[in-house]
Amino acid sequence: MILTLIFSVLVTFGLDWLCMILSGGTIHGLINGYELPGIIVILAGLIFLSGCGKDFCRIFRGSSSLQKHDLAELRRTEKSLDFANRAVFYICLFFILIGGIFFYLNIDFRTSLGPNLATILGSLLYMSFLISIFITLKAKLRTKIISVMAQEVPEAGTNKTTRPAKAIITS
């Protein structure tokens, strides 16, 4: 999982860097010094205050430790990733709205238009960046869930009648 996270971060930062360089900007425009850490701190606070902290941190463990968990724990981890996606969306939407309000209020002052527009566009960039990472992690977690479901064997005490594979396909 860590390797998947590192690859997704490298690909996203690489694409952002390439777009920044090709448009004539510098690499310093990629990271806003206050907004990205603010989004991450607010996201971490929301995740731990909602009670999803333990389940969310489980995704950053190795693949072998995810195999040890049962299906219910993996489903809770998937729900915590869904919550993180929604939280990032709403946090960035809040920053976009605040930037838009200040952009509208300070439309007469040219010196304040750049930072307000940078807040709006930076929030969109960070939202797409973080959500793409969470989607990558969720896809990897979903494959783990499928492999756990495939390994589950029905108990011997159940009264299910098993049909041969040919009968299942034809019915």
Side-chain angles (χ1 to χ4, degrees):
M1 295 301 251
I2 299 296
L3 192 60
T4 306
L5 176 68
I6 290 171
F7 282 146
S8 64
V9 167
L10 286 176
V11 166
T12 307
F13 265 134
L15 290 174
D16 290 341
W17 178 77
L18 184 65
C19 290
M20 188 74 64
I21 296 299
L22 291 176
S23 67
T26 61
I27 194 69
H28 299 293
L30 189 59
I31 296 177
N32 188 345
Y34 299 107
E35 192 173 359
L36 181 62
I39 290 171
I40 292 174
V41 166
I42 293 170
L43 176 65
L46 284 175
I47 286 173
F48 284 105
L49 286 176
S50 69
C52 297
K54 184 178 178 183
D55 298 326
F56 185 77
C57 290
R58 189 176 297 132
I59 193 71
F60 297 108
R61 295 182 187 160
S63 296
S64 61
S65 68
L66 279 178
Q67 293 289 0
K68 296 176 187 174
H69 297 294
D70 61 344
L71 186 61
E73 290 175 344
L74 292 176
R75 294 269 172 132
R76 284 194 308 263
T77 304
E78 185 180 18
K79 287 183 182 181
S80 70
L81 278 173
D82 288 337
F83 177 77
N85 274 337
R86 288 191 307 271
V88 164
F89 175 75
Y90 290 124
I91 291 167
C92 291
L93 185 65
F94 173 74
F95 280 116
I96 289 170
L97 289 175
I98 294 297
I101 289 169
F102 280 120
F103 187 81
Y104 177 71
L105 289 176
N106 298 324
I107 197 90
D108 296 332
F109 304 108
R110 287 189 171 183
T111 57
S112 65
L113 294 180
N116 292 331
L117 189 59
T119 301
I120 293 170
L121 295 176
S123 294
L124 286 172
L125 173 75
Y126 300 140
M127 179 175 58
S128 63
F129 176 71
L130 291 172
I131 287 178
S132 67
I133 289 174
F134 290 150
I135 287 173
T136 304
L137 292 174
K138 187 176 177 182
K140 189 74 169 178
L141 181 66
R142 195 159 284 190
T143 59
K144 293 293 179 190
I145 289 173
I146 290 171
S147 68
V148 166
M149 289 173 65
Q151 290 176 358
E152 286 184 359
V153 178
E155 297 178 10
T158 60
N159 292 331
K160 292 183 178 179
T161 58
T162 58
R163 295 188 292 178
K166 191 172 187 178
I168 293 173
I169 292 173
T170 57
S171 62

